[in-house]
Amino acid sequence: MRHATKVAAVVAAAALGLAACGSSSDNTPAGSNTSAGSTGTQAAGKKLVVGIAYGVGGRGDQSFNASAAAGLDKAKADLGVEFKEATQVNGESEAATEERLQQFIDAGATHVIGVGFAYAKAIGTVAKANPDVKFAIIDDASTDSAGPNVAQLTFAEEQGSFLVGAAAALKSKTNTVGFVGGVATDLIKKFEAGYVAGAKAANPSIVVKSQYLSQPPDFSGFNDPAKGKTAAEGLYQGGADVVYHAAGGSGSGVFTAAKAAGKLAIGVDSDQALTATPDVRDVILTSMIKKVDVAVYDFLKSGAAGTDITGNKVYDLKAGGVDYATTGGKVDDIKSKLDDYKQKIISGEIKVPTTP
């Protein structure tokens, strides 16, 4: 779909901060992905040109978007893909979101990735208008984004959150733990639901207090460290001694609050004991790892092999799509308990809820 003339698109590209990166090498892919999907028209071994549209907070959020960027960087190193990047602006119009995706295609993109459910409608619209281009969306499996040339890459966030919830309860000395959600969407409530269930499984008498930073359609809660800090401060002052955040870039504020209070925090999406600023890494008990990097890489590796993924692919515990981090050694003494919970979830003995 076209929303502007060629000249206007160039101007819009500058305004949206479209950046080009990539490699001039023509590496042969290591192999094809065996995920469910259909065979694409891309010739095996042909170099991909990728457009990746990050959610609010962008590549440098140390969390969700950063994980997607890591998968892209690996695809550049391993497969020789070229790529262009852009970042969503909070509160932008649907037309602007669609135009960002179309700009990638006008610039020659063969594969386009929308990082986050906020791209759902735009992916659906632009994919229909460009049937020869392959698309992927992270965190959405709705009819809005569905299409024969679309891969919907989703995760069992509740399962990974269950494990860190259990860790929080097992480590709490005050019998109270907290949760900070970036935006009160159904997706983030999956994190909360799993966290609460895991905490209650480990300690039925545990108190879990939750706080959200913004309500849709305001997505600023994913990129407001000051709000994250204030929310976490309130939870620590209210008795919590471990706080889990699912708030993207706002999580850095949670870590700052934990450091000041002498308490613990739990990261999300990436192993944040490795990605957070060095001064706060020692307060991170664990992180719920959501392997967005693996999903992005799978999509691109399959494309390079000519076997593009389409339809919904779910990355759960069994598939290795979510997990908990052990960096820092703070959960070493409870690792056997957490791994027992993990196996029970994988086997189906424990059914983790997706709503609080």
Side-chain angles (χ1 to χ4, degrees):
M1 176 181 289
R2 305 282 179 166
H3 297 287
T5 65
K6 184 175 182 180
V7 173
V10 171
V11 174
L16 290 168
L18 200 63
C21 305
S23 166
S24 60
S25 63
D26 219 343
N27 297 349
T28 300
S32 64
N33 183 277
T34 57
S35 307
S38 66
T39 300
T41 58
Q42 174 116 356
K46 183 178 178 180
K47 185 190 296 180
L48 275 58
V49 178
V50 181
I52 186 165
Y54 298 113
V56 173
R59 170 185 271 267
D61 70 352
Q62 301 177 352
S63 184
F64 178 68
N65 289 293
S67 183
L72 182 65
D73 291 342
K74 179 174 171 58
K76 175 186 174 182
D78 292 356
L79 310 173
V81 305
E82 296 179 359
F83 63 85
K84 300 177 186 298
E85 302 174 292
T87 299
Q88 190 174 40
V89 177
N90 185 50
E92 71 182 21
S93 68
E94 197 65 37
T97 304
E98 290 178 19
E99 184 60 34
R100 177 180 300 110
L101 303 181
Q102 185 62 51
Q103 286 165 11
F104 289 139
I105 298 165
D106 291 344
T110 60
H111 289 67
V112 174
I113 303 170
V115 185
F117 58 82
Y119 282 100
K121 290 183 179 179
I123 288 282
T125 299
V126 179
K128 286 182 179 67
N130 298 274
D132 294 332
V133 176
K134 304 304 179 184
F135 293 79
I137 184 165
I138 307 294
D139 282 348
D140 182 74
S142 70
T143 55
D144 286 340
S145 65
N149 56 333
V150 179
Q152 299 174 313
L153 309 176
T154 59
F155 297 81
E157 294 91 355
E158 73 281 1
Q159 295 181 355
S161 296
F162 183 103
L163 299 178
V164 300
L170 291 169
K171 288 291 184 175
S172 178
K173 297 177 180 177
T174 63
N175 207 46
T176 302
V177 299
F179 173 80
V180 173
V183 183
T185 63
D186 289 344
L187 174 66
I188 302 304
K189 288 177 182 178
K190 283 176 65 181
F191 289 83
E192 181 188 7
Y195 181 68
V196 173
K200 293 287 186 181
N203 178 2
S205 67
I206 197 80
V207 175
V208 184
K209 297 182 177 181
S210 298
Q211 180 73 44
Y212 284 87
L213 304 182
S214 69
Q215 300 285 330
D218 177 6
F219 291 95
S220 65
F222 288 135
N223 193 35
D224 194 332
K227 279 187 180 180
K229 180 175 180 288
T230 299
E233 286 173 342
L235 292 170
Y236 290 128
Q237 291 167 6
D241 57 353
V242 184
V243 173
Y244 172 40
H245 88 85
S250 301
S252 63
V254 174
F255 300 148
T256 300
K259 184 76 170 182
K263 306 297 183 182
L264 293 170
I266 296 174
V268 75
D269 295 332
S270 300
D271 183 348
Q272 296 203 276
L274 297 174
T275 64
T277 55
D279 60 313
V280 298
R281 292 179 184 180
D282 62 333
V283 305
I284 300 175
L285 173 64
T286 181
S287 296
M288 195 287 278
I289 303 175
K290 177 176 170 179
K291 299 182 182 179
V292 179
D293 58 331
V294 172
V296 168
Y297 185 78
D298 280 356
F299 173 67
L300 298 179
K301 183 178 178 181
S302 296
T307 55
D308 291 280
I309 299 170
T310 60
N312 182 213
K313 177 173 173 56
V314 180
Y315 291 82
D316 57 10
L317 270 177
K318 186 174 182 179
V322 294
D323 209 338
Y324 71 96
T326 59
T327 301
K330 291 183 173 61
V331 295
D332 286 355
D333 58 328
I334 59 172
K335 188 175 185 301
S336 61
K337 292 181 180 179
L338 299 181
D339 287 345
D340 183 54
Y341 283 129
K342 182 193 295 189
Q343 291 307 313
K344 287 179 178 177
I345 293 170
I346 291 173
S347 72
E349 182 177 344
I350 291 178
K351 303 288 187 183
V352 184
T354 57
T355 55

